[in-house]
Amino acid sequence: MKPNLPSNPLLRTSALAAVLAGTVLSARAQDAPSRVNALMNFEFSDKYLTPRGMIVHDDGLTFQQLTLGFFNLYKGDSFINDVTLVGGIWNDFSTEGVSENAPFGSEPKTHWIEVDPIAGVSIGFANKFTLSVTYTAFLMEILNIGTSQHLETKLAFDDTEYLGAFALHPYFLYWQELDEKATAARVPYLVFLGQPGPDSSHYFEFGVTPAYTFENIKLKLEAPLRVLLPDKDFYGEYYADSSTIGLYELGVKASIPLGFMPKGYGNWGFHAGYRYMRFEDDNLAGMQQFNAPGEAKKDASQIYGGISIFF
């Protein structure tokens, strides 16, 4: 069975994204011939826009690659339906390159922006719920940014039985910084005040992913919507008091299987989409001056497309 991709890490899976993380992909292997499966996702977009609203780079073309392995430990008809271990790696590359050292725009530059190891577990229960716990680390290759570590806990509900084609597929997640920051929240404090800035923090997120599939052509359309609710230290309070809503995102995504691929080469699919983010927190908007835009921004949009292969 092909894995379900939740609507899409200064920083990222993407757009968790991303993708993904954030942002783990869950695979149910009930219909697959093996308890061990793999997913490869290759995606291009016009910029690297993280799920937390950081515009990391926006010149040239962004290429993001995700590889995940799924190890199904248990499947059954009891209260716990499925237990799957997930492990993998995510990479981001830029055709234009980004400065290795601060400030943004300086030489030398690198085309390899980031690499993120991923490890987690997904538990299906009561036939309708999926609880996933995912560890990620963001290893940045740019701007002298150190490595940050995080833990995401996500609960998703499959409401298809109740709403049918109008199912919303709601989810709720809690995202915790374990070590260092996943945003540029400390930069203005260090640059202008010489102070360390906010500590590691967290945020909550609510989202839905309504979808409709045209069965005759196997075209699936999705309209993801999510709202991020940050702790006051997540984006800091250098520019203004923290906002209850950090950002909201809405978009549209279309995906279709590539049926012409011969059997034995995996299940191939193509997807394309558009996402729009509105930065409600003035601190998030203000810190964009230290990223690719070089100035405060209240919103951002992204066009993306790619190919996924599931074995």
Side-chain angles (χ1 to χ4, degrees):
M1 180 177 177
K2 192 174 180 178
N4 295 317
L5 308 184
S7 19
N8 289 122
L10 40 300
L11 295 177
R12 187 188 183 291
T13 158
S14 216
L16 284 234
V19 57
L20 249 217
T23 241
V24 80
L25 305 177
S26 63
R28 299 287 183 82
Q30 301 97 314
D31 301 326
S34 172
R35 287 180 178 266
V36 180
N37 301 99
L39 171 73
M40 299 181 69
N41 189 68
F42 304 93
E43 193 164 282
F44 293 89
S45 65
D46 64 335
K47 63 174 61 66
Y48 177 9
L49 175 63
T50 82
R52 285 149 289 283
M54 297 286 97
I55 306 172
V56 183
H57 56 84
D58 58 2
D59 289 330
L61 194 64
T62 297
F63 170 67
Q64 297 177 343
Q65 176 270 329
L66 172 69
T67 301
L68 290 176
F70 302 93
F71 306 91
N72 185 249
L73 301 181
Y74 171 80
K75 55 183 176 181
D77 298 325
S78 60
F79 180 75
I80 301 296
N81 315 127
D82 178 273
V83 179
T84 300
L85 295 181
V86 184
I89 194 166
W90 180 92
N91 286 272
D92 177 83
F93 302 89
S94 171
T95 59
E96 292 298 310
V98 178
S99 302
E100 293 182 7
N101 307 304
F104 203 99
S106 63
E107 297 289 345
K109 295 184 178 180
T110 178
H111 295 278
W112 185 25
I113 311 303
E114 180 181 348
V115 55
D116 302 344
I118 303 166
V121 60
S122 173
I123 302 172
F125 62 96
N127 293 314
K128 296 179 178 61
F129 293 90
T130 301
L131 176 66
S132 57
V133 180
T134 309
Y135 165 85
T136 55
F138 302 162
L139 283 67
M140 305 304 300
E141 306 296 326
I142 60 172
L143 302 174
N144 305 119
I145 302 171
T147 298
S148 60
Q149 301 181 66
H150 337 87
L151 193 69
E152 176 187 288
T153 303
K154 178 179 178 181
L155 180 64
F157 176 62
D158 184 359
D159 57 346
T160 304
E161 179 180 337
Y162 307 105
L163 298 180
F166 300 97
L168 298 176
H169 306 291
Y171 70 87
F172 166 78
L173 69 80
Y174 172 75
W175 204 86
Q176 174 70 53
E177 294 172 321
L178 300 177
D179 184 48
E180 297 298 331
K181 297 294 294 178
T183 71
R186 287 178 177 169
V187 177
Y189 290 89
L190 292 171
V191 170
F192 299 116
L193 299 178
Q195 299 178 1
D199 293 327
S200 298
S201 186
H202 65 272
Y203 67 81
F204 298 94
E205 180 177 310
F206 297 90
V208 295
T209 310
Y212 182 80
T213 300
F214 297 89
E215 294 295 343
N216 55 333
I217 57 175
K218 305 301 181 183
L219 174 64
K220 182 179 180 180
L221 296 180
E222 299 172 82
L225 169 66
R226 68 186 182 98
V227 178
L228 187 152
L229 310 175
D231 175 69
K232 65 181 182 63
D233 284 338
F234 191 73
Y235 295 120
E237 294 186 311
Y238 181 84
Y239 299 97
D241 291 338
S242 177
S243 173
T244 301
I245 297 177
L247 65 84
Y248 66 80
E249 175 187 332
L250 58 117
V252 60
K253 177 182 177 181
S255 56
I256 190 168
L258 300 179
F260 57 82
M261 295 301 297
K263 291 184 178 181
Y265 290 87
N267 298 312
W268 291 57
F270 171 79
H271 65 273
Y274 167 84
R275 61 172 56 94
Y276 171 80
M277 284 189 192
R278 175 70 180 180
F279 307 142
E280 293 297 324
D281 191 297
D282 290 336
N283 300 287
L284 169 58
M287 71 177 69
Q288 301 295 355
Q289 65 177 300
F290 300 103
N291 297 326
E295 61 182 2
K297 287 183 68 69
K298 289 295 292 183
D299 60 6
S301 59
Q302 181 186 44
I303 300 172
Y304 62 93
I307 292 177
S308 61
I309 311 169
F310 183 64
F311 300 94

Short mmCIF file of all heavy atoms in Angstrom, two decimals, residues 11 135-138 146-151 175-183 186 198-201:
data_model
loop_
_atom_site.label_atom_id
_atom_site.label_comp_id
_atom_site.label_asym_id
_atom_site.label_seq_id
_atom_site.Cartn_x
_atom_site.Cartn_y
_atom_site.Cartn_z
N LEU A 11 15.36 25.55 10.90
CA LEU A 11 15.00 25.66 9.50
C LEU A 11 14.15 24.48 9.07
O LEU A 11 13.24 24.21 9.79
CB LEU A 11 16.24 25.72 8.59
CG LEU A 11 17.05 26.92 8.79
CD1 LEU A 11 18.33 26.96 7.95
CD2 LEU A 11 16.38 28.17 8.70
N TYR A 135 11.84 12.08 15.49
CA TYR A 135 13.03 12.87 15.83
C TYR A 135 13.67 13.37 14.54
O TYR A 135 13.79 12.62 13.56
CB TYR A 135 14.04 12.02 16.59
CG TYR A 135 15.42 12.64 16.65
CD1 TYR A 135 15.75 13.57 17.64
CD2 TYR A 135 16.39 12.29 15.70
CE1 TYR A 135 17.02 14.14 17.68
CE2 TYR A 135 17.66 12.86 15.74
CZ TYR A 135 17.96 13.79 16.73
OH TYR A 135 19.21 14.36 16.76
N THR A 136 14.07 14.64 14.52
CA THR A 136 14.81 15.19 13.40
C THR A 136 15.96 16.05 13.91
O THR A 136 15.89 16.62 15.01
CB THR A 136 13.92 16.07 12.49
OG1 THR A 136 13.31 17.10 13.28
CG2 THR A 136 12.85 15.25 11.80
N ALA A 137 17.00 16.14 13.11
CA ALA A 137 18.09 17.07 13.36
C ALA A 137 18.34 17.83 12.07
O ALA A 137 18.32 17.24 10.98
CB ALA A 137 19.36 16.33 13.80
N PHE A 138 18.54 19.14 12.17
CA PHE A 138 18.80 19.97 11.00
C PHE A 138 20.30 20.29 10.97
O PHE A 138 20.78 21.10 11.77
CB PHE A 138 18.01 21.27 11.05
CG PHE A 138 16.51 21.08 11.13
CD1 PHE A 138 15.69 22.12 11.55
CD2 PHE A 138 15.92 19.88 10.77
CE1 PHE A 138 14.32 21.96 11.62
CE2 PHE A 138 14.54 19.72 10.83
CZ PHE A 138 13.73 20.75 11.26
N GLY A 146 24.47 26.32 13.35
CA GLY A 146 24.75 25.04 13.98
C GLY A 146 23.63 24.04 13.75
O GLY A 146 22.66 24.28 13.03
N THR A 147 23.76 22.90 14.39
CA THR A 147 22.77 21.82 14.29
C THR A 147 21.72 21.96 15.38
O THR A 147 22.05 22.19 16.54
CB THR A 147 23.46 20.46 14.41
OG1 THR A 147 24.39 20.30 13.34
CG2 THR A 147 22.44 19.33 14.37
N SER A 148 20.46 21.86 15.00
CA SER A 148 19.37 21.86 15.97
C SER A 148 18.70 20.49 15.96
O SER A 148 18.70 19.79 14.95
CB SER A 148 18.35 22.96 15.67
OG SER A 148 17.77 22.78 14.39
N GLN A 149 18.11 20.11 17.10
CA GLN A 149 17.44 18.82 17.23
C GLN A 149 16.02 19.02 17.75
O GLN A 149 15.77 19.94 18.55
CB GLN A 149 18.22 17.92 18.19
CG GLN A 149 19.64 17.66 17.76
CD GLN A 149 20.38 16.75 18.71
OE1 GLN A 149 20.03 15.56 18.86
NE2 GLN A 149 21.39 17.27 19.39
N HIS A 150 15.10 18.15 17.32
CA HIS A 150 13.68 18.38 17.60
C HIS A 150 12.93 17.06 17.73
O HIS A 150 13.37 16.02 17.26
CB HIS A 150 13.05 19.19 16.47
CG HIS A 150 14.05 20.00 15.69
ND1 HIS A 150 14.74 19.47 14.62
CD2 HIS A 150 14.52 21.24 15.90
CE1 HIS A 150 15.58 20.38 14.16
NE2 HIS A 150 15.48 21.46 14.91
N LEU A 151 11.74 17.15 18.33
CA LEU A 151 10.85 16.00 18.45
C LEU A 151 9.43 16.46 18.12
O LEU A 151 8.94 17.44 18.68
CB LEU A 151 10.89 15.42 19.86
CG LEU A 151 10.26 14.03 20.03
CD1 LEU A 151 11.10 12.98 19.31
CD2 LEU A 151 10.11 13.68 21.51
N TRP A 175 5.38 20.29 18.48
CA TRP A 175 6.74 20.28 17.95
C TRP A 175 7.66 20.95 18.95
O TRP A 175 7.46 22.12 19.32
CB TRP A 175 6.77 21.02 16.62
CG TRP A 175 7.88 20.64 15.69
CD1 TRP A 175 7.90 19.63 14.80
CD2 TRP A 175 9.14 21.32 15.55
NE1 TRP A 175 9.08 19.62 14.09
CE2 TRP A 175 9.87 20.65 14.54
CE3 TRP A 175 9.73 22.42 16.18
CZ2 TRP A 175 11.14 21.04 14.15
CZ3 TRP A 175 11.00 22.81 15.79
CH2 TRP A 175 11.69 22.12 14.79
N GLN A 176 8.68 20.21 19.43
CA GLN A 176 9.55 20.68 20.51
C GLN A 176 11.00 20.76 20.03
O GLN A 176 11.54 19.79 19.48
CB GLN A 176 9.47 19.73 21.71
CG GLN A 176 10.44 20.04 22.83
CD GLN A 176 10.09 21.33 23.58
OE1 GLN A 176 8.96 21.48 24.04
NE2 GLN A 176 11.04 22.23 23.70
N GLU A 177 11.63 21.92 20.23
CA GLU A 177 13.07 22.04 20.01
C GLU A 177 13.78 21.39 21.21
O GLU A 177 13.56 21.78 22.35
CB GLU A 177 13.47 23.50 19.90
CG GLU A 177 12.91 24.19 18.67
CD GLU A 177 13.16 25.69 18.68
OE1 GLU A 177 13.06 26.31 19.77
OE2 GLU A 177 13.43 26.25 17.60
N LEU A 178 14.63 20.42 20.94
CA LEU A 178 15.36 19.74 22.00
C LEU A 178 16.68 20.44 22.30
O LEU A 178 17.13 20.50 23.44
CB LEU A 178 15.63 18.29 21.61
CG LEU A 178 14.40 17.42 21.35
CD1 LEU A 178 14.84 16.04 20.90
CD2 LEU A 178 13.52 17.34 22.58
N ASP A 179 17.33 20.93 21.25
CA ASP A 179 18.63 21.58 21.41
C ASP A 179 18.81 22.61 20.29
O ASP A 179 18.62 22.28 19.11
CB ASP A 179 19.75 20.53 21.34
CG ASP A 179 21.12 21.15 21.60
OD1 ASP A 179 21.26 21.90 22.57
OD2 ASP A 179 22.04 20.87 20.81
N GLU A 180 19.14 23.85 20.65
CA GLU A 180 19.32 24.96 19.70
C GLU A 180 17.97 25.34 19.07
O GLU A 180 16.93 24.77 19.38
CB GLU A 180 20.37 24.62 18.65
CG GLU A 180 21.76 24.41 19.23
CD GLU A 180 22.31 25.65 19.93
OE1 GLU A 180 21.95 26.77 19.55
OE2 GLU A 180 23.09 25.49 20.88
N LYS A 181 18.03 26.33 18.16
CA LYS A 181 16.82 26.88 17.56
C LYS A 181 16.64 26.38 16.13
O LYS A 181 17.60 26.19 15.39
CB LYS A 181 16.88 28.41 17.53
CG LYS A 181 16.93 29.05 18.92
CD LYS A 181 15.65 28.81 19.70
CE LYS A 181 14.46 29.52 19.06
NZ LYS A 181 13.20 29.25 19.82
N ALA A 182 15.38 26.18 15.72
CA ALA A 182 15.04 25.81 14.35
C ALA A 182 14.60 27.02 13.54
O ALA A 182 14.12 26.88 12.42
CB ALA A 182 13.94 24.75 14.34
N THR A 183 14.70 28.20 14.12
CA THR A 183 14.40 29.46 13.43
C THR A 183 15.56 30.42 13.65
O THR A 183 16.51 30.11 14.39
CB THR A 183 13.11 30.11 13.96
OG1 THR A 183 13.36 30.62 15.29
CG2 THR A 183 11.97 29.11 14.01
N ARG A 186 17.31 33.85 17.35
CA ARG A 186 18.42 34.38 18.16
C ARG A 186 19.25 35.42 17.41
O ARG A 186 20.01 36.17 18.02
CB ARG A 186 19.32 33.24 18.61
CG ARG A 186 18.71 32.37 19.70
CD ARG A 186 19.63 31.22 20.07
NE ARG A 186 19.06 30.44 21.16
CZ ARG A 186 19.53 29.26 21.54
NH1 ARG A 186 20.56 28.73 20.90
NH2 ARG A 186 18.98 28.60 22.55
N PRO A 198 16.25 33.95 22.83
CA PRO A 198 15.35 32.95 23.43
C PRO A 198 15.94 31.55 23.42
O PRO A 198 16.74 31.19 22.55
CB PRO A 198 14.11 33.04 22.55
CG PRO A 198 14.61 33.55 21.24
CD PRO A 198 15.72 34.50 21.58
N ASP A 199 15.52 30.76 24.40
CA ASP A 199 15.96 29.37 24.50
C ASP A 199 15.15 28.49 23.55
O ASP A 199 14.22 28.94 22.88
CB ASP A 199 15.80 28.87 25.93
CG ASP A 199 16.75 29.57 26.90
OD1 ASP A 199 17.86 29.92 26.47
OD2 ASP A 199 16.36 29.75 28.06
N SER A 200 15.51 27.21 23.53
CA SER A 200 14.73 26.23 22.77
C SER A 200 13.28 26.27 23.23
O SER A 200 12.99 26.46 24.40
CB SER A 200 15.31 24.83 22.97
OG SER A 200 16.64 24.76 22.49
N SER A 201 12.37 26.09 22.27
CA SER A 201 10.96 26.31 22.57
C SER A 201 10.10 25.30 21.81
O SER A 201 10.59 24.25 21.39
CB SER A 201 10.58 27.76 22.22
OG SER A 201 9.26 28.05 22.63
#
